[in-house]
Amino acid sequence: MKKLLTVFFVLAFVFVLSACNNDSGKANEQPKTQSNSQSDTVNSDANNTTESKTETITRDRAIELALNHAGLAKSDVRDLEAELDRERGGTYWEIDFESGNLEYSYDINAQTEEIRKIEKERD
């Protein structure tokens, strides 16, 4: 009889817990759905913002910015290299070139056109 009573209480306990989980699950489903739809909206807005921010400037534009900053024309430089780099928490054009006995290195933000790094060394 004790075994039967114990089984009954265990089953009743499991049933009550299941009912509580179902009720709380249903209560939580509503906010989760609302939260998810809100986050989808936020993500959509963020994606739209990100999409506009991810429009990168062209290679030619990055070179133009670097050369203008250095006060040089494209015909004045040699060993011109431009590489798009996405490794440092953003997207940057790495522009390297030489002119005379100087080596130039620029990092230009590919979204804002901001010159983030300038190095100028003797060859």
Side-chain angles (χ1 to χ4, degrees):
M1 181 73 178
K2 285 184 179 180
K3 286 184 181 180
L4 186 61
L5 192 57
T6 304
V7 169
F8 174 75
F9 281 118
V10 169
L11 288 176
F13 183 72
V14 169
F15 180 74
V16 169
L17 285 179
S18 297
C20 289
N21 284 338
N22 286 341
D23 289 342
S24 66
K26 288 179 184 176
N28 286 337
E29 283 178 22
Q30 187 73 9
K32 283 183 182 178
T33 303
Q34 289 174 352
S35 175
N36 286 342
S37 65
Q38 287 174 352
S39 68
D40 288 343
T41 304
V42 171
N43 288 338
S44 298
D45 293 342
N47 287 341
N48 290 341
T49 304
T50 304
E51 285 175 15
S52 64
K53 286 184 180 179
T54 57
E55 292 178 20
T56 59
I57 61 173
T58 64
R59 177 183 186 273
D60 290 339
R61 176 65 180 149
I63 291 170
E64 176 186 355
L65 290 167
L67 292 177
N68 286 343
H69 185 271
L72 299 168
K74 200 169 186 177
S75 59
D76 296 334
V77 301
R78 64 184 185 282
D79 297 332
L80 177 63
E81 296 178 8
E83 180 180 344
L84 193 60
D85 183 10
R86 291 186 176 97
E87 294 178 6
R88 291 175 282 171
T91 305
Y92 298 90
W93 280 102
E94 292 180 4
I95 310 295
D96 299 310
F97 55 88
E98 296 178 19
S99 180
N101 63 347
L102 296 174
E103 291 181 9
Y104 296 82
S105 180
Y106 284 83
D107 280 0
I108 299 174
N109 186 302
Q111 282 78 41
T112 66
E113 297 187 2
E114 178 186 5
I115 297 173
R116 301 290 301 181
K117 180 189 89 170
I118 305 164
E119 290 181 4
K120 188 174 168 182
E121 298 177 353
R122 292 219 179 264
D123 208 9

